[in-house]
Amino acid sequence: MPKQKYTFASILRDSILILWGLIILLPLCWVLIGSFKNNVQLYENPWGLPTEYHFENFARAWSEAQIGLFFVNSIVVTAFSVTIGVFLSVLAAYVVNRFPYRIVKFAFWAFTASMMLPLVLTLVPKFLIIRDAGLLDSRMGLVLVYVAGAIPFGVFTMESFFASLPKSFEESAFIDGAGPFTTFLRIITPLTAPGVTVITIFQFLGSWNEFYHAMVLVSSPAKFTIPLGMVRLIEVQQYSIEWGPIFAGMVIVIIPILAFFALTQKRLVGGLTAGGLKG
Amino acid sequence: MQGHTPTPVFSVRDKRNLLFIILGLVPAAALAFWLHILPVFQGLYLSLFRWSGLSPKRKFVGLANFRALANDSLVWKALGHDVYMVVFRLTAVIVLALLFAGILHFSSRRKQKIVQGLFFFPNVLSVAVVGIIFTFIYNPSIGALNAILTNLGLENLTQAWLGNPKTAFPAVLFPTVWGAVGYQMLLLFAGMSSIPKAYTEVALLEGATRIQEFFQVTLPLLRNVVKTCVSLVVINTLNRTFIFIRVMTKGGPNDATEVLGNYMFYQGFENFKFGYATSIAVINFTLALVLTFVVTRLLKKENLEYA
């Protein structure tokens, strides 16, 4: 695009973008500012910069409001779900892409079709399945549900990745006498980094942010993940709320996502548009 | 696949391959079946029972749950709210996303990068986080919204946004748009970028203005992408938006924000009527199918191809 002068149209276009940019940023900035205030400052001047900084809000959010505990739970649940989910997706995607048998192709079709399943309809049954397996109120139950939910998209994405990977790698390994296990681990796995990065990002965001299933599957505060813990915290404190630490808690929750976003933004945007346009 | 035999490399004649297929496919397939696919069928099946979920007894009642639904005035109210919610989100999200993608299309690379990043960021925040932030913003005593209105001299507009049945629903829906526009914008922008330059340039050479070119050349060529976006918004609205309602209002005040997803949750997990809850979910699912069909049908017309 050639360099443009400022015209009425270009100013209008920029103003629209700036306006929406502010609509996105202002709520986040407001929470950040609020995280340094105490109740008096928040009630008297919701928008003003803090007149005195209450850094202890962060410490109180971390320990008293137990956000530290929720953080650890989120890390554990996410680490397990992402590791297992990515591993199973990559393996299954490799099988469905490489082995030309009818039952294998059917499995791929089933994975793909199940990406569009109606979530609301599955909530009660999932609760019953997890309950009957004796996994209610456990981090393990959450991990299983998250992995199961992530597999279809993971297989779908990785399958298209393997489709672009020439079979000559396996053919030469086969001639050297290597079996599928050796070939997969030694030759294929090291080549999957680009695809694995994309599904790892998605599965990370999916597990880290998940609230919907956690809400029905976990009931004791000791096992709350961050989203669930934050919502319950607000419910409990509804009438005698100490806002400062809650705002600080929100900041603690948003910062890792912001850092993660900054690091992965390029791949995230690429992965989203590639997957979305196919579907 | 019939017709050609697999090359020896991938043939199950080699027993190692057979073992590899089983070990590679079964864990993923079993897990996805157990906790992702099976629950759908179980949901359909459970909607035919009366069951508290707690007692071992469940009673087959056929379509009685659905007859009860038809007489439940809250279901009709929720259904109406669901349709309103779809129309509201569809209009707001798609119009804003198209507007932003269209503007980006005319912008410099640098601006595109910054805007894509910033506008997409809300999409990676948890529903719980966004819901809480906006619950605070609407709060009548410390909320940012009332404070802004007061500063602008619009004090008579200040109110308890989530407590007033008139404003509660739009107030809950705004953050669902806030958190969704970026993604749709990316999809539409990617679609615009994949249209060959020749088409748009010809129009400009022929004397069309940028705006004419956008509406008469780019937009029609974008129809399939728009269709994808529209279906995604409809499905997400009926499957996920109720989570915002769970966080922010729980269907209140006075059922002003009651939708089927939230009502399903209430009947299932607070009232412990599991059969009734799943029958509400079946209606929700049916509504999603019908609305997706209707909306994509409206966008159908003839398909333009440039490939």
Side-chain angles (χ1 to χ4, degrees), chain A residues 187-265:
Chain A
I187 297 166
I188 302 299
T189 315
L191 297 169
T192 56
V196 166
T197 313
V198 171
I199 64 169
T200 304
I201 294 173
F202 280 96
Q203 298 197 6
F204 171 85
L205 285 174
S207 308
W208 187 263
N209 286 337
E210 214 283 336
F211 167 65
Y212 183 73
H213 295 99
M215 183 168 54
V216 300
L217 297 179
V218 175
S219 50
S220 53
K223 287 160 194 160
F224 284 175
T225 53
I226 291 174
L228 180 61
M230 291 304 294
V231 172
R232 291 283 186 256
L233 202 63
I234 310 292
E235 284 173 354
V236 170
Q237 298 213 352
Q238 212 165 8
Y239 300 105
S240 61
I241 213 160
E242 272 228 59
W243 294 96
I246 302 265
F247 275 61
M250 299 301 289
V251 173
I252 296 177
V253 170
I254 293 170
I255 282 184
I257 284 287
L258 189 63
F260 179 82
F261 185 71
L263 289 173
T264 59
Q265 189 204 337

Side-chain angles (χ1 to χ4, degrees), chain B residues 9-280:
Chain B
V9 189
F10 300 112
S11 168
V12 287
R13 293 240 177 87
D14 187 335
K15 286 288 172 275
R16 293 178 301 182
N17 276 339
L18 185 62
L19 188 65
F20 184 77
I21 292 175
I22 293 169
L23 289 179
L25 202 52
V26 168
L31 200 54
F33 179 76
W34 185 43
L35 279 169
H36 190 70
I37 297 171
L38 182 66
V40 177
F41 296 101
Q42 254 183 322
L44 293 172
Y45 178 71
L46 272 179
S47 71
L48 306 174
F49 287 84
R50 181 175 298 142
W51 188 30
S52 74
L54 304 173
S55 71
K57 279 185 299 193
R58 58 182 182 198
K59 192 173 169 241
F60 181 82
V61 293
L63 295 176
N65 281 330
F66 292 92
R67 277 194 292 274
L69 282 181
N71 292 320
D72 185 337
S73 63
L74 208 47
V75 167
W76 290 103
K77 204 169 182 180
L79 197 68
H81 287 159
D82 269 300
V83 174
Y84 174 81
M85 179 162 77
V86 168
V87 173
F88 183 103
R89 290 195 79 233
L90 209 50
T91 318
V93 173
I94 301 293
V95 167
L96 288 177
L98 260 178
L99 177 69
F100 301 151
I103 293 175
L104 276 197
H105 195 54
F106 298 122
S107 304
S108 62
R109 265 289 145 74
R110 225 175 87 86
K111 222 183 271 174
Q112 288 173 354
K113 283 260 156 64
I114 298 170
V115 169
Q116 282 182 331
L118 177 63
F119 285 19
F120 182 61
F121 180 65
N123 293 253
V124 300
L125 292 174
S126 171
V127 172
V129 170
V130 176
I132 292 171
I133 292 179
F134 277 87
T135 308
F136 290 175
I137 287 176
Y138 295 133
N139 185 289
S141 41
I142 63 142
L145 184 54
N146 281 351
I148 289 181
L149 290 172
T150 310
N151 286 346
L152 292 175
L154 298 167
E155 257 152 26
N156 50 339
L157 289 180
T158 61
Q159 57 188 300
W161 296 92
L162 295 175
N164 179 345
K166 284 214 185 74
T167 54
F169 207 18
V172 170
L173 291 180
F174 180 75
T176 74
V177 174
W178 186 81
V181 165
Y183 176 38
Q184 306 299 330
M185 177 195 79
L186 288 181
L187 292 183
L188 290 165
F189 178 70
M192 285 180 193
S193 307
S194 69
I195 294 173
K197 276 264 161 26
Y199 290 82
T200 52
E201 270 161 17
V202 164
L204 293 174
L205 281 178
E206 300 259 318
T209 63
R210 278 261 163 77
I211 304 277
Q212 284 173 327
E213 177 270 308
F214 182 76
F215 279 100
Q216 290 171 16
V217 181
T218 305
L219 211 47
L221 288 172
L222 213 57
R223 182 170 286 137
N224 278 334
V225 185
V226 174
K227 227 192 301 189
T228 307
C229 291
V230 162
S231 322
L232 282 174
V233 173
V234 173
I235 291 169
N236 278 334
T237 302
L238 292 172
N239 267 318
R240 297 183 181 274
T241 306
F242 89 87
I243 309 171
F244 279 91
I245 291 172
R246 229 25 250 168
V247 175
M248 296 176 73
T249 62
K250 299 215 161 112
N254 253 331
D255 306 322
T257 59
E258 190 64 271
V259 294
L260 290 172
N262 185 60
Y263 194 46
M264 178 283 296
F265 192 94
Y266 166 76
Q267 288 292 1
F269 296 101
E270 282 169 22
N271 229 1
F272 296 104
K273 288 182 170 177
F274 281 6
Y276 197 58
T278 46
S279 69
I280 297 168

